Every structure is written in C-alpha cells, then in structure tokens.
C-alpha cells in the first residue's frame, strides 16, 4: 500500500525527518512517499501560515490521487486542510494531531500536549476540543521554540521539551505526552525512555492508523460533506484549483 505523508510546510530538512519517522513506523509492504509542497510557508505556527499552507497541501493530495495513493497523512500538528483533503481523497486522510490524541486516549485517561511557540497552544487546544478530547487533554504546554529551531542541533530543543514534559507529568495529572509538532518526531523514543510514560509522535501514529483503515477496506466517505467539492469556476490566481466534474482532474 502507498501512503503519502505530506509535510505542509516547505522545510526540506523537516520533510526528510518526517519521512524517516514514517518509514520507521510503516509495516513491511507499506510504501511511504513523503513530500512537501513547492510553495508556501517554511513553517506553520499561526493561523495565517496555516491558511497559506493549505493550497500547496491540496495540490499534493490531488497529484497523489492520480498515482493511486491508498491513504494520506497530514504531518503538521494543526491538521491544516484536513476536511478539504478528505473531500478530494478516496482513501483515509489522517492528521497527526488527531492520530496522536486518539493514540494517547487509548493508553491514558489524560494527556498533555507539549508543543512549540506559546501562540500555537490555543490552536492545539481547539483541536482537542474539536476531536472530543476536552477532558482528556489535561494541558497544552508551549516551549517557546520556533518550529525551525527543532532543525537546529544547537538549539537546546531536546532539553527544553524534556523539561516541559516533566512539568506536565508533575503538575497536570497526565499519563502520556503528545508531541505537538511533526519536527519532534525524532525525539520520541529518547523522551519516552527518559520519562517512563507513553510519548506519542503523531506521524508514526497516523501511519499506523492509515495502515489499519486501508487493511480494513475503509476509505473516506463520499456521502454528505465529504462528497467531492462542487464543480465551479475559481477566478484569478486560484483558477487552476477549481474542482472539476471529471474527478481524475480534481
Ligand atoms: C507545526 C508542525 O507540526 N509543522 C509546522 O510547521 N508547525 N506545529 C506546531 N505546533 O508548530
């Protein structure tokens, strides 16, 4: 089965890291293709970045649909464009925030999200509410680390994240940690060993949930609001994004 993992930001080093985490999680027989859009923000850490990441992300889904891709992972913790991607995909589309939160809910009654900049905490909290984890998500903790500092080996990111995880476990009654950024995927194993609790990276979790759904023959519903987008004209710079009546070109 082919799973396309999309890093919706344009930082190639992060795409490589995400691809490694996805391949490490994948079962034999699963092919992982990890891509990022050719245009858009280099990192996603506010609502504006999220909005401008979505056209490129949807372009990657459209291209992969033509290759017969079985499932998609949106590898950014804001799960940008998730609903729109589902409208144009036949297979499952899994966001890493929803995957990580669901995984955490299977192994703890409550979890903490440890993320990047303080301002992204509200975004993660809103996702927890939207996915039904209002009670289970005991806290969302920022580390004041910009996303691209996770790509800098001299940033001290690991120590800062470890410290915040420890505070979450000590103060928030959490039994598990959810990593709040795809760029933290490579830190999971060491953090889990050091903290002695489940530490969940959404990239790996989303790959496993995708494999499970595809194996079960379950794709995205095409009834109701996940039906194909309505064919219509888009104007100006977005003309090429217009949904077509011929689904192969949507
Ligand atoms: C992210 C992420 O996973 N990728 C990105 O660009 N920003 N998440 C975050 N909390 O900052």
């Amino acid at each position: 089965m082919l799973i396309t993992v999309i890093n919706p930001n344009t930082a190639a080093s992060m795409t490589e890291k995400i691809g490694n985490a996805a391949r490490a999680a994948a079962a034999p027989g699963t092919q992982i293709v990890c891509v990022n859009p050719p245009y858009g923000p280099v990192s996603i850490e506010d609502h504006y970045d999220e909005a401008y990441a979505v056209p490129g992300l949807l372009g990657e889904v459209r291209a992969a649909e033509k290759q017969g891709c079985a499932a998609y992972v949106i590898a950014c913790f804001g799960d940008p464009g998730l609903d729109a991607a589902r409208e144009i995909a036949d297979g499952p589309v899994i966001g890493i925030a929803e995957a990580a939160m669901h995984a955490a809910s299977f192994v703890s009654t409550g979890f903490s999200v440890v993320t990047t900049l303080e301002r992204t905490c509200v975004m993660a909290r809103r996702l927890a509410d939207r996915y039904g984890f209002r009670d289970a998500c005991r806290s969302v903790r920022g580390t004041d680390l910009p996303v691209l500092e996770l790509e800098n080996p001299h940033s001290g990111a690991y120590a800062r994240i470890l410290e915040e995880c420890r505070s979450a476990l000590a103060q928030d009654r959490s039994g598990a940690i959810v990593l709040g950024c795809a760029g933290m995927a490579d830190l999971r194993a060491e953090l889990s060993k050091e903290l002695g609790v489940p530490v969940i990276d959404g990239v790996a979790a989303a790959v496993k949930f995708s494999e499970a759904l595809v194996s079960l023959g379950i794709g995205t519903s095409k009834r109701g609001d996940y039906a194909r987008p309505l064919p219509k004209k888009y104007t100006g710079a977005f003309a090429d994004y217009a949904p077509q009546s011929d689904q192969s070109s949507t």
Side-chain angles (χ1 to χ4, degrees):
M1 102 183 44
L2 170 62
I3 299 178
T4 300
V5 177
I6 304 166
N7 170 20
N9 76 38
T10 57
S13 63
M14 208 162 139
T15 306
E16 193 182 332
K17 186 195 292 182
I18 291 166
N20 290 340
R23 274 183 284 275
T30 296
Q31 185 194 351
I32 301 286
V33 172
C34 188
V35 295
N36 60 253
Y39 51 88
V42 289
S43 64
I44 301 164
E45 36 203 11
D46 52 42
H47 302 291
Y48 191 85
D49 291 341
E50 268 199 6
Y52 276 99
V54 172
L57 164 81
L58 295 177
E60 296 302 322
V61 176
R62 290 202 312 186
E65 271 300 277
K66 291 179 184 149
Q67 309 301 317
C69 179
Y72 300 87
V73 171
I74 298 180
C76 172
F77 201 79
D79 294 352
L82 182 61
D83 288 321
R86 285 179 174 156
E87 289 181 356
I88 59 171
D90 286 326
V93 184
I94 312 282
I96 65 167
E98 64 174 355
M101 290 182 195
H102 279 87
S105 75
F106 295 146
V107 296
S108 68
T109 59
F111 57 84
S112 291
V113 177
V114 174
T115 187
T116 54
L117 294 182
E118 200 60 37
R119 68 182 295 170
T120 68
C121 291
V122 173
M123 299 160 84
R125 168 54 70 189
R126 281 186 174 181
L127 287 183
D129 290 355
R130 173 180 157 191
Y131 298 144
F133 297 116
R134 184 173 294 227
D135 293 330
C137 181
R138 302 244 161 93
S139 60
V140 180
R141 285 173 169 263
T143 54
D144 278 333
L145 286 163
V147 169
L148 294 182
E149 278 301 280
L150 297 167
E151 304 306 294
N152 170 10
H154 308 296
S155 66
Y158 179 80
R160 180 74 195 91
I161 292 164
L162 178 64
E163 180 194 346
E164 206 58 43
C165 291
R166 287 210 166 105
S167 300
L169 296 173
Q171 296 164 18
D172 305 339
R173 288 190 222 90
S174 292
I177 299 291
V178 164
L179 298 177
C181 182
M184 297 177 181
D186 57 332
L187 309 180
R188 193 209 69 81
E190 204 172 336
L191 286 169
S192 187
K193 205 166 115 194
E194 199 132 13
L195 295 166
V197 298
V199 175
I200 295 152
D201 155 44
V203 175
V207 167
K208 299 316 282 182
F209 287 138
S210 298
E211 285 178 340
L213 290 169
V214 173
S215 301
L216 292 166
I218 295 172
T220 298
S221 174
K222 289 297 142 209
R223 273 183 79 109
D225 62 316
Y226 282 157
R228 304 278 172 203
L230 296 171
K232 70 184 66 162
K233 183 177 171 186
Y234 283 15
T235 57
F238 284 172
D240 288 346
Y241 293 86
Q244 311 289 316
S245 50
D246 169 15
Q247 288 316 319
S248 64
S249 56
T250 298

